[in-house]
Every structure is written in structure tokens, then in C-alpha cells.
Amino acid sequence: MACHFSLSLSLSLLLFTYFPSNSQSNQFCEAGIGYDEVGCGISSSSTKLLIKGGTVVNAHHQEVADVYVKDGIIVAVKPNLRVGDDVKVIDATGKFVMPGGIDPHTHLAMEALNTESVDDFFSGQAAALAGGTTMHIDFVIPVNGSLIAGLEAYEKKAKKSCMDYGFHMVITKFDDIVSRDMEIMVKEKGINSFKFFLAYKGVLMVNDELLLEGLKRCKSLGALAMVHAENGDAVFEGQKRMIELGITGPEGHALSRPPLLEGEATARAIRLAGFVNTPLYVVHVMSIDAMEEIAKARKSGQRVVGEPVVSGLALDDSGLWDSDFTTASKYVMSPPIRASGHGKALQDALSNGVLQLVGTDHCVFNSTQKAFGIDDFRKIPNGVNGIEERMHLVWDLMVESGQISVTDYVRVTSTECARIFNIYPRKGAIIAGSDADIIILNPNSTFAINARSHHSRTDTNVYEGRRGKGKVEVTIAGGRVVWENNELKVVPGSGKYIEMAPFSYLFSGIDRADASYLSSLNAPVKRFKSTT
């Protein structure tokens, strides 16, 4: 497996020490007494930061203010804060101070096609921090259908983590044991979402009967149902068709699973979730077809969340037709990156609220692994990068172009994810009491993306050569400066698992809607039985 860590990261592992967060307290002095002065009772040995003079941006408000951090927690957000001499001061004048990004969709150290994605819970997270993402939510794959065994395996993988993370859980079968274990996941393990694959026939795919059972169980537990929406049976048929036509290269991947199959599965999942009356989260929305189904459902009042990923927003499918296999294969992901026009439509949907937040589906395999499918596109491991690039590309694509505001940028990259998965305002906000996961973004600075300088372990990058405006210059995770002056300062094992409670805001009023439905049935009808 290729390893492309920068020298600065390697040196950082040797030179920097992790300072644990010692307190979750939010006590600070009343107005008129300077923070950290003698009367405040704050130890000089604690980890303290003051971010001065920046424009603090939350999802619904922005203001020029200072941000004071102690022991990993934001203590105060006010103009002209006074602090003691033992506080590290960062000047953010002329820059934006925002919540760190939260990536709702990643696959680190994921096993697929007898191999494993090359970014693990250290390298992938290190890359994320360099790009301004301070938390991600990864997908636990069951082991032989067992949720408990799957979680144990992922807990081991995550021991090397260097930033905060949470888990979604994938469901591949349904029986009494799985139903019981879903309850354990929600009530004891801090998992409040379950994903159902409608694709990958014979591997991860579930049928409609299983999906319905899963939707009902999610509803009863207050857990969010998530779907990978492609018609797996039709994709399987499309793959056979391409092979019969002699189309074995990466372009066959896209041709075998066209947008209409994503649209069909999205519509089906939405209707089944409506039938059960439970919220639905559609991951990696890649096409106009799927987006329009989500728009229609949301317009009717159904609780459907649509998640585009940055590759779908920023790229088109032309790379899949590149004459060089290594180049073409790096773009293979599912659903596929679509033809020109889909990306702009997804950007429009994000700007007008049809789609709610941006993920990455970061799941990277190096060129050697991608070459497993050099003679058969079905054997190419699916996945592209994005965990490091997301914050920069969304800023350049959406804010710099004028499609969304700075506050909307915070919403789609951080706050809405925190709200959906019920960890707001601990995450996704710069307010007193929130975790000190903070980025400082310079809107006048530029970024450049290439495989030589990125922090992922993969040897390719689907955004190779891309340049834009708006650079994350400082990343603070848990109150520690982990990215500054283009240097990473991270240590394996310093990340925390974030438990996520059930019954997020998406479930508000569901019980009343159910009661209204039942009262509308006018059934059962009382009928007289014939006496003859």
C-alpha cells in the first residue's frame, strides 16, 4: 500500500505530545473580570487558547468576536476578551472562525473485494484535520451479519484515531437477534442511524421486505434509516450487459448503473419510508434523477434528508473514459460520478435547500488495488477521496461563486450534520459550552490539490491539479491546534468516540402524524353478520 504522508506529519509524531481534555466545565468569570485572572480560579497549567479578531460564523449568525478556549471547551465568544499571560493567542483578523467540519459519510479501513481501503482511522483522520474536518461518522460493517461483532472490529480499528468520530451501523440481514442488537446499539453504544444498501447484490444488498422491517425497527428506536439508493438487481443486469458488449474498462462501471436506476431506488426507498412514516436519509445523491425524487418528497412534507458528496458536486464522468487505466479507475465509485450537468444541478439543490449537507464517501484504494479490475470493471474497488478536500472545494464551489452564504457554508459542512445526528450544540457550533473544534479560514488565500502533497495514503487524487480560493489555515480539535503553518501535529489515540442519542429533531411530531393517520382510516367498519 502506497504511503504518502508528508515529512511534517512524520516529524510531528515524534515532536508533539497530546494534551488530554481534563474538563468539560463551562465556568468563567462574570463581566468586569478578565478571563483567567486570579479571581477566576483557573489553573495556569490548563490548555488555553484565545482566537482574536476573527469573524465568528455559526449557521444562523456571524459577528466579529474573540473565542476563548479552555480544556477543550469553548468558554466565551465575545468581543475584546481579556486573558492571562499563559494563553496561546491566535490572530484571526480578516479571517473566518467557524466550527470544524463534520463529514457524515466515510469508510476508513473498510474491507472490500478481498482488500481494505488504505486510509485507516489515523491516516484518514489526519488528512481530514489538514482539510478542516474535525469529526467524521464512519460505517460499521457487520461481521457475518452480527452487529456486535462488527462494532467490536471497528472499535479496534478506531483505537489509533486522532480526532473525534462516531458510527453508523450497516444492516445486511434482519431477524430477532439483529432486532435486539439494534436496540443495544441505540441504547448502549451511542449509534443512532442504520444504513441499508439497495445495491451490491449478493454482498450487502437488502430486499424490500428486509428494508421494511428495518424501517419499522428504526422508527421504534428513534434511529435514522439511511439508504444507498441504486436498484441492485438492475445494476447486476447492467453489468452483465456491458460484459456481453465487450465493455470491460472503468467506463463500463458508469454505463452499467445509469441515473435512472438511482432515481428508481431513491423513489422506492422514499415511498417505503413514507408508508412506515419514519425519516429517511439518502446518502451520496449523485444524479438529477435522485435529487428530483427527494425534492418532490420534501415538497409534500415528508422527512427526507439528501446528502450530496463533494465528488458529485465538483466532477463529471469524463475521467472514466481516460485512455490510461490508472487515471480512469481512480474515479470508480458507486453511484457513479455522473455526466456533465448533474453536478451543477446538485449544487443548485444544495443552495436552495433541497439537499441539506455535504459528505464525501471517502473510501480510497491505491492504484495497485484499483488494478484488480484491469480486465473487468466489476473487480475495481469502489471509492474516491475527499475527506481532506471537502471543506476547500465546497467553499470554492459554493461560497466563492456566490451560490451560498458563509453561514450556509457552516450549515452544510457542520451544523446540519450535528443536528441530524443529535450532537448539536456540542458539535457544529461556536458557542460557550461547545467542544473546541474550530477552523480558521482565510478567504483570500488559495489552495492547490495534488497527490504529492495530500495526507491520504492513496497515490492518486480525483481532484488532481485543482486550485481555488479559501484555505483552512488553522484547525483546532478538542482545543488543540493540530494544523497550523501547513504542519500537522497529531498523535494516534487522541481522538474520542462521540455517542449520538436517538430521536433527533427529525422525529418531532411523528407520533402525532401517526395518530392523525389512524383517526383518518374510518375503519374497521362494523358490519352486521347475516343470520341466514
Side-chain angles (χ1 to χ4, degrees):
M1 296 181 182
C3 182
H4 283 257
F5 275 107
S6 69
L7 179 60
S8 63
L9 175 56
S10 302
L11 291 174
S12 296
L13 296 178
L14 299 174
L15 297 175
F16 291 88
T17 305
Y18 165 55
F19 296 94
S21 175
N22 298 314
S23 170
Q24 295 284 318
S25 67
N26 181 31
Q27 297 178 347
F28 51 86
C29 297
E30 297 297 325
I33 305 177
Y35 294 92
D36 279 1
E37 291 180 3
V38 176
C40 297
I42 299 175
S43 166
S44 62
S45 63
S46 60
T47 306
K48 306 168 190 174
L49 289 172
L50 180 69
I51 304 168
K52 285 192 67 67
T55 300
V56 176
V57 186
N58 283 299
H60 304 293
H61 178 68
Q62 66 184 72
E63 62 176 329
V64 176
D66 300 341
V67 181
Y68 175 55
V69 172
K70 175 182 178 290
D71 293 337
I73 303 296
I74 296 171
V75 174
V77 183
K78 292 182 180 180
N80 304 314
L81 289 174
R82 291 183 294 141
V83 298
D85 294 333
D86 57 344
V87 179
K88 176 181 172 67
V89 177
I90 301 175
D91 184 4
T93 303
K95 302 172 185 178
F96 292 111
V97 180
M98 300 184 282
I102 307 173
D103 189 338
H105 190 156
T106 62
H107 297 282
L108 301 183
M110 179 182 175
E111 296 168 16
L113 295 177
N114 299 313
T115 189
E116 184 174 287
S117 58
V118 294
D119 275 336
D120 59 21
F121 276 79
F122 178 69
S123 68
Q125 291 184 354
L129 291 169
T133 288
T134 54
M135 180 180 169
H136 71 108
I137 312 177
D138 212 86
F139 289 88
V140 173
I141 309 297
V143 175
N144 297 322
S146 169
L147 310 192
I148 301 292
L151 180 60
E152 289 173 349
Y154 271 76
E155 286 173 336
K156 290 178 182 176
K157 294 179 182 185
K159 284 184 177 179
K160 62 181 71 174
S161 65
C162 57
M163 77 180 195
D164 291 357
Y165 62 95
F167 285 138
H168 310 290
M169 175 67 72
V170 173
I171 301 295
T172 56
K173 69 176 186 177
F174 194 87
D175 54 27
D176 290 343
I177 295 173
V178 171
S179 180
R180 178 204 68 195
D181 288 350
M182 288 175 72
E183 183 171 5
I184 292 172
M185 294 298 131
V186 171
K187 295 184 176 179
E188 300 178 20
K189 303 299 184 181
I191 293 174
N192 66 1
S193 51
F194 295 93
K195 181 179 180 182
F196 302 86
F197 283 87
L198 307 187
Y200 301 119
K201 185 174 182 176
V203 183
L204 295 169
M205 177 179 158
V206 302
N207 60 24
D208 287 353
E209 180 183 7
L210 192 156
L211 177 60
L212 278 167
E213 291 297 331
L215 289 170
K216 290 190 295 181
R217 189 60 172 139
C218 283
K219 180 181 180 179
S220 70
L221 294 169
L224 182 57
M226 312 175 80
V227 287
H228 172 136
E230 290 180 287
N231 187 311
D233 288 320
V235 167
F236 185 74
E237 177 62 28
Q239 290 174 327
K240 289 195 298 181
R241 180 188 300 172
M242 291 305 114
I243 297 299
E244 289 168 359
L245 291 171
I247 302 171
T248 60
E251 70 278 10
H253 176 76
L255 293 170
S256 69
R257 46 209 315 148
L260 67 92
L261 300 188
E262 185 186 354
E264 185 280 331
T266 302
R268 178 161 39 99
I270 286 172
R271 283 161 173 74
L272 292 179
F275 177 65
V276 174
N277 189 30
T278 196
L280 183 72
Y281 184 115
V282 183
V283 304
H284 49 41
V285 178
M286 297 293 284
S287 66
I288 294 171
D289 306 54
M291 178 271 290
E292 288 181 340
E293 296 294 341
I294 293 167
K296 184 165 59 176
R298 288 178 62 84
K299 186 176 181 180
S300 73
Q302 190 172 342
R303 298 175 190 201
V304 180
V305 174
E307 170 211 89
V309 290
V310 70
S311 54
L313 295 171
L315 302 172
D316 64 43
D317 68 349
S318 57
L320 288 163
W321 272 260
D322 194 283
S323 59
D324 177 66
F325 176 85
T326 298
T327 299
S329 64
K330 74 179 179 181
Y331 294 102
V332 170
M333 65 173 292
S334 295
I337 297 165
R338 302 299 187 185
S340 180
H342 288 270
K344 185 59 175 72
L346 295 176
Q347 292 176 30
D348 293 343
L350 184 65
S351 69
N352 64 29
V354 168
L355 303 176
Q356 287 70 54
L357 73 170
V358 182
T360 62
D361 196 10
H362 182 91
C363 183
V364 289
F365 300 91
N366 62 31
S367 55
T368 301
Q369 294 169 304
K370 290 278 189 175
F372 294 165
I374 196 164
D375 296 317
D376 185 344
F377 66 84
R378 296 172 297 181
K379 297 178 182 178
I380 301 172
N382 286 200
V384 302
N385 60 289
I387 201 168
E388 182 171 0
E389 297 82 8
R390 178 182 71 124
M391 298 293 282
H392 289 124
L393 288 172
V394 173
W395 181 275
D396 190 55
L397 279 171
M398 302 301 297
V399 183
E400 190 64 27
S401 67
Q403 295 187 82
I404 64 173
S405 66
V406 180
T407 52
D408 280 340
Y409 174 80
V410 169
R411 177 177 56 82
V412 302
T413 60
S414 183
T415 307
E416 188 59 23
C417 184
R419 292 183 68 235
I420 288 169
F421 296 104
N422 224 7
I423 52 175
Y424 180 86
R426 178 182 180 183
K427 303 289 186 183
I430 298 185
I431 58 177
S434 297
D435 285 359
D437 295 339
I438 301 168
I439 61 171
I440 301 174
L441 184 145
N442 186 342
N444 298 313
S445 189
T446 59
F447 66 84
I449 300 172
N450 60 72
R452 295 186 308 279
S453 63
H454 72 202
H455 296 84
S456 168
R457 283 180 175 158
T458 187
D459 57 347
T460 63
N461 192 308
V462 293
Y463 310 103
E464 185 72 33
R466 190 114 182 188
R467 294 177 177 272
K469 283 192 71 176
K471 179 172 171 54
V472 176
E473 294 185 339
V474 179
T475 304
I476 298 162
R480 305 182 314 278
V481 177
V482 294
W483 171 255
E484 189 177 29
N485 300 320
N486 292 320
E487 287 188 340
L488 269 169
K489 306 174 184 180
V490 290
V491 175
S494 57
K496 300 189 302 295
Y497 175 63
I498 305 298
E499 294 191 2
M500 299 178 288
F503 294 103
S504 75
Y505 82 93
L506 292 169
F507 284 86
S508 177
I510 289 284
D511 54 346
R512 292 191 294 275
D514 283 343
S516 177
Y517 165 73
L518 292 173
S519 67
S520 72
L521 295 178
N522 296 319
V525 176
K526 293 183 179 179
R527 294 181 172 86
F528 295 106
K529 293 184 178 180
S530 173
T531 57
T532 58

